[in-house]
């Protein structure tokens, strides 16, 4: 790479489309980690509305239509404390990734997650349930940093963006699975109503940890640890070439060269992520932090954390079924995003997605404040535009935020900058999860915004448009070496022209 250290996730296979199907399956499997977060997001949305859970953990209300309830403070704590755990888990992602590797880091995270699930399943009081969610959050936070890192380091360059997008797709599948299982058990009159959906998370953790044991470690991490023979074998498994093939050796040599450049610069710290430099490391770090923050500020987790409650308050009778419907939209509309990220590019889809979400959320807010909860046609309009809003998110900001954070960092600060970006996601996730009950609920100490909260989400989506236009470069089809050159020589707002120049130069060099 010219001009500076390369990011560790430049893809494998020298850009050749000869990677074996087995290799692609290996890399895609690590996306299963997204199910851990997605399922937990969806399951808590339904569990906290189940009659037996409310009777076990809540307080009597004296209202025969809803005999038990929890306070806004308890609801905030139960929902948002997972994100507090994930924040610290994401920060731990960098040292874990560098010390025990990407592969065993994911296995370790699954074990921590399982401890949290055990606590939640066994609990009959809020304290143990909350502690369990903290441990589950630590595991999810680690996975959310390590899985995209593993994918971007092991995926072939020509499909890197789509492969990393699979992590977001796994999140959506987890949310849908939780909605289906919640709907199946929510009317049970004993503790099985919430224990079954909670305990099923053991299955996801076991499948992820067991599967990762059979996958190769990241060749880049192995080279960094001085284990060249193991790196050659790992690259061979991922590409289908023999370990002694010249193509494998060329890729390994490129990694070695990049590491030599990194060593010449010295060991990096978190502070180095924010230093001014020739290749704009500070700008890249802030871009990663900000894109994860704006992803949360689109308001999407309002629907998936509080959707069941929101639809109940809006007069919709079967809120559990509506949650399944929104989950189905989320899953299937992520697929066009996975395809489109390599077809249309990152920047364009982020702009279109932010604009679409902005319009839909303002429509939901306006419809919500102008009709009564008894107006059936109005409720159908509200549901329809919530689903369209979810579709825009799922096809754009959902997967592409993870693609961007997997691509824009140079190797010398890669693990630390990624952990900062993902920690930003969880910090805002926690803040939104904690504040939402106080914003939307009625009663003393609450803002009672209800559906008017969508005016806030619409405004933040408009800010997403501005952020993307000025701060996010177009990286489609570029190696991470070329992305580094782009940051050295131009600004994100001019990235389309510079990207075309880089691709033209690359094609010209390939003919000679």
């Amino acid at each position: 790479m010219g001009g500076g250290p390369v990011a560790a996730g430049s893809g494998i296979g020298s850009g050749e489309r000869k990677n074996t199907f087995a290799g692609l399956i290996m890399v895609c499997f690590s996306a299963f980690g997204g199910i851990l977060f997605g399922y937990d997001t969806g399951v808590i949305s339904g569990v906290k509305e189940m009659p037996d859970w409310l009777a076990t953990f809540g307080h009597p209300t004296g209202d025969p239509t809803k005999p038990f309830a929890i306070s806004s403070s308890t609801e905030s704590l139960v929902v948002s404390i997972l994100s507090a755990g994930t924040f610290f888990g994401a920060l731990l992602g960098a040292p874990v990734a560098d010390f025990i590797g990407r592969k065993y880091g994911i296995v370790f995270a699954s074990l921590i997650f399982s401890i949290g699930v055990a606590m939640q399943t066994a609990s009959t009081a809020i304290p143990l349930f909350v502690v369990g969610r903290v441990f589950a959050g630590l595991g999810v936070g680690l996975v959310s940093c390590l899985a995209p890192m593993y994918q971007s380091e092991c995926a072939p360059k020509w499909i890197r963006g789509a492969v990393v997008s699979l992590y977001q797709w796994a999140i959506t599948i987890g949310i849908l699975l939780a909605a289906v299982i919640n709907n199946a058990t929510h009317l049970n009159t004993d503790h099985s109503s919430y224990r079954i959906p909670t305990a099923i998370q053991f299955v996801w953790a076991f499948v992820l940890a067991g599967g990762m044991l059979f996958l190769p470690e990241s060749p880049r991490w192995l080279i960094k640890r001085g284990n060249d023979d193991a790196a050659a074998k790992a690259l061979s498994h991922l590409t289908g070439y023999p370990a002694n093939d010249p193509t494998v050796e060329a890729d390994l040599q490129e990694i070695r060269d990049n590491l030599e450049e990194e060593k010449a610069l010295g060991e990096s710290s978190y502070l180095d992520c924010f230093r001014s430099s020739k290749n704009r490391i500070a700008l890249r770090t802030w871009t990663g932090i900000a894109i994860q923050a704006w992803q949360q500020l689109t308001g999407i987790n309002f629907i998936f954390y509080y959707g069941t409650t929101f639809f109940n308050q809006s007069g919709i009778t079967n809120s559990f079924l509506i949650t399944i419907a929104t989950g189905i939209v989320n899953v299937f509309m992520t697929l066009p995003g996975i395809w489109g990220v390599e077809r249309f590019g990152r920047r364009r889809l982020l702009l279109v997605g932010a604009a679409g979400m902005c319009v839909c959320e303002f429509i939901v807010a306006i419809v919500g404040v102008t009709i009564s909860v008894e107006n059936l046609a109005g409720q159908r309009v509200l549901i329809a535009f919530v689903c369209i809003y979810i579709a825009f998110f799922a096809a754009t900001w959902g997967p592409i935020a993870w693609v961007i954070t997997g691509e824009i960092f140079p190797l010398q600060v890669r693990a630390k900058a990624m952990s900062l970006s993902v920690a930003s996601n969880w910090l805002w996730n926690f803040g939104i999860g904690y504040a939402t009950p106080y914003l939307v609920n009625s009663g003393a100490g609450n803002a009672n915004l209800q559906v008017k909260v969508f005016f806030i989400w619409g405004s933040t989506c408009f800010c997403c448009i501005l952020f993307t236009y000025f701060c996010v470069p177009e990286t489609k089809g570029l190696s991470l070496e070329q992305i580094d050159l782009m940051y050295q020589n131009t600004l994100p707002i001019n990235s389309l022209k510079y990207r075309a120049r880089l691709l033209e130069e690359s094609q010209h060099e390939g003919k000679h």
Side-chain angles (χ1 to χ4, degrees):
M1 158 194 144
V6 66
S10 53
I12 61 171
S14 302
E16 301 280 343
R17 300 196 182 199
K18 295 182 180 178
N19 300 79
T20 62
F21 179 73
L24 285 174
I25 292 297
M26 289 177 192
V27 177
C28 293
F29 178 82
S30 59
F32 195 86
I35 287 183
L36 271 67
F37 171 54
Y39 186 90
D40 194 89
T41 299
V43 84
I44 196 62
S45 173
V47 160
K48 67 184 180 62
E49 294 295 317
M50 292 181 179
D52 182 76
W53 190 89
L54 288 170
T56 304
F57 296 91
H59 57 81
T61 64
D63 180 357
T65 62
K66 191 174 183 179
F68 296 94
I70 55 174
S71 65
S72 291
S73 60
T74 300
E75 186 177 18
S76 287
L77 181 66
V78 165
V79 172
S80 65
I81 199 66
L82 177 97
S83 301
T86 53
F87 172 75
F88 292 104
L91 290 178
L92 286 172
V96 168
D98 287 341
F99 184 67
I100 65 174
R102 284 58 162 151
K103 169 184 172 177
Y104 287 106
I106 294 173
V107 174
F108 173 71
S110 300
L111 297 177
I112 298 295
F113 178 80
S114 296
I115 293 172
V117 172
M119 291 180 176
Q120 291 176 72
T121 304
S123 65
T124 54
I126 287 294
L128 183 60
F129 193 85
V130 166
V131 172
R133 284 185 61 75
V134 171
F135 273 88
L138 284 170
V140 170
L142 283 166
V143 168
S144 67
C145 181
L146 295 169
M149 187 186 299
Y150 179 87
Q151 290 176 305
S152 61
E153 291 183 359
C154 297
K157 182 178 70 175
W158 59 273
I159 200 172
R160 183 185 65 225
V163 167
V164 176
S165 299
L166 288 174
Y167 179 78
Q168 175 65 25
W169 194 46
I171 293 176
T172 68
I173 292 173
I175 292 171
L176 176 59
L177 288 171
V180 171
I181 294 169
N182 279 344
N183 187 60
T185 67
H186 76 281
L187 294 179
N188 291 5
T189 55
D190 57 14
H191 292 341
S192 68
S193 62
Y194 71 88
R195 282 180 169 166
I196 290 174
T198 303
I200 282 175
Q201 293 173 101
F202 283 121
V203 176
W204 317 138
F206 175 78
V207 171
L208 178 63
M212 287 302 299
L213 290 174
F214 295 97
L215 300 190
E217 181 55 271
S218 162
R220 283 164 178 77
W221 183 79
L222 291 168
I223 291 266
K224 193 173 183 180
R225 303 285 287 191
N227 198 340
D228 288 26
D229 290 341
K233 290 178 182 177
L235 204 55
S236 173
H237 284 305
L238 290 165
T239 63
Y241 292 105
N244 59 356
D245 188 275
T247 302
V248 172
E249 181 53 40
D251 285 341
L252 292 175
Q253 188 57 48
E254 182 182 11
I255 297 170
R256 292 188 197 103
D257 292 342
N258 294 332
L259 284 171
E260 287 303 316
E261 293 185 47
E262 178 193 1
K263 288 178 183 177
L265 293 171
E267 187 66 29
S268 64
S269 66
Y270 276 104
L271 190 61
D272 290 323
C273 297
F274 300 98
R275 295 188 192 279
S276 297
S277 63
K278 180 182 176 182
N279 56 352
R280 294 192 171 101
I281 290 177
L283 173 63
R284 293 154 87 162
T285 301
W286 282 116
T287 299
I289 289 171
I291 198 168
Q292 292 287 353
W294 285 119
Q295 188 205 51
Q296 291 303 302
L297 286 166
T298 60
I300 191 65
N301 278 330
F302 169 75
I303 295 296
F304 293 120
Y305 280 144
Y306 297 102
T308 308
T309 306
F310 170 71
F311 291 129
N312 270 333
Q313 292 175 345
S314 298
I316 295 163
T317 52
N318 199 331
S319 57
F320 280 87
L321 281 180
I322 299 300
T323 304
I324 292 176
T326 58
I328 290 171
V329 172
N330 198 25
V331 168
F332 287 101
M333 286 308 298
T334 301
L335 294 175
I338 294 172
W339 168 76
V341 71
E342 300 297 354
R343 175 68 178 83
F344 302 109
R346 287 71 160 142
R347 182 180 168 91
R348 182 186 302 175
L349 286 182
L350 288 174
L351 288 169
V352 170
M357 288 189 291
C358 180
V359 171
C360 288
E361 289 180 307
F362 278 122
I363 290 174
V364 169
I366 292 167
V367 169
V369 299
T370 54
I371 64 165
S372 68
V373 295
E374 290 82 18
N375 188 321
L376 184 59
Q379 297 308 314
R380 287 173 177 168
V381 170
L382 188 148
I383 293 169
F385 275 97
V386 166
C387 288
I388 296 170
Y389 151 65
I390 292 170
F392 271 113
F393 175 87
T396 58
W397 277 79
I400 297 174
W402 296 104
V403 174
I404 294 295
T405 53
E407 290 181 336
I408 63 173
F409 302 124
L411 181 57
Q412 71 183 106
V413 297
R414 177 174 178 75
K416 292 179 175 65
M418 276 197 70
S419 71
L420 286 170
S421 297
V422 179
S424 168
N425 182 295
W426 298 121
L427 180 64
W428 285 96
N429 193 310
F430 169 77
I432 292 168
Y434 188 83
T436 294
Y438 294 106
L439 289 173
V440 301
N441 288 351
S442 58
N446 298 322
N448 195 26
L449 291 180
Q450 297 186 23
V451 76
K452 291 191 287 291
V453 75
F454 277 89
F455 283 116
I456 295 176
W457 308 139
S459 301
T460 54
C461 282
F462 180 76
C463 294
C464 290
I465 299 172
L466 299 178
F467 165 76
T468 302
Y469 184 76
F470 289 106
C471 299
V472 179
E474 182 51 74
T475 57
K476 184 188 96 154
L478 298 180
S479 70
L480 294 212
E481 296 90 341
Q482 291 170 321
I483 293 172
D484 205 64
L485 283 172
M486 176 184 288
Y487 270 104
Q488 290 178 43
N489 296 298
T490 192
L491 293 171
I493 196 171
N494 300 318
S495 60
L496 285 171
K497 289 181 181 178
Y498 195 81
R499 170 184 170 274
R501 175 183 155 189
L502 286 172
L503 291 176
E504 185 179 343
E505 290 175 355
S506 179
Q507 291 172 356
H508 181 73
E509 290 172 3
K511 293 177 181 177
H512 293 83

